[in-house]
Amino acid sequence: MKVQDREFEFLVASNLEPDEMNLELWELRGSKRVMVAEVSYAEGDRSMTFRAYERDLPFEVVEQLVEMARLRLPPMEA
């Protein structure tokens, strides 16, 4: 996703301890990738947490991260 001449990508990851899934937001800076934010879903209490590791992220990128997290992180109801 390119916004304001900055390139971002999303990555789904999981942690077994604690039992959670994450949607990470990475910024591409030349040949480097830097994680700038993430949303975590904790299976135990079914909560979601947003963490930003950098300031001044474009609003539309954060908005897309939250929207994708709502769709991809919680478990599918049977």
Side-chain angles (χ1 to χ4, degrees), residues 60-73:
E60 55 197 288
V61 175
V62 174
E63 189 174 45
Q64 183 70 30
L65 176 67
V66 170
E67 183 178 326
M68 288 177 66
R70 284 189 176 133
L71 294 172
R72 297 186 69 182
L73 293 184

Side-chain angles (χ1 to χ4, degrees), residues 19-72:
D19 190 12
E20 66 183 23
M21 288 187 66
N22 304 301
L23 181 61
E24 301 170 348
L25 176 63
W26 292 80
E27 184 171 2
L28 306 173
R29 298 177 183 166
S31 62
K32 289 178 148 182
R33 292 174 62 226
V34 178
M35 186 165 50
V36 295
E38 70 179 328
V39 176
S40 298
Y41 172 77
E43 183 67 38
D45 63 4
R46 302 175 84 82
S47 65
M48 293 183 88
T49 304
F50 171 80
R51 292 178 200 88
Y53 303 114
E54 300 226 348
R55 298 175 64 160
D56 301 324
L57 295 170
F59 178 76
E60 55 197 288
V61 175
V62 174
E63 189 174 45
Q64 183 70 30
L65 176 67
V66 170
E67 183 178 326
M68 288 177 66
R70 284 189 176 133
L71 294 172
R72 297 186 69 182

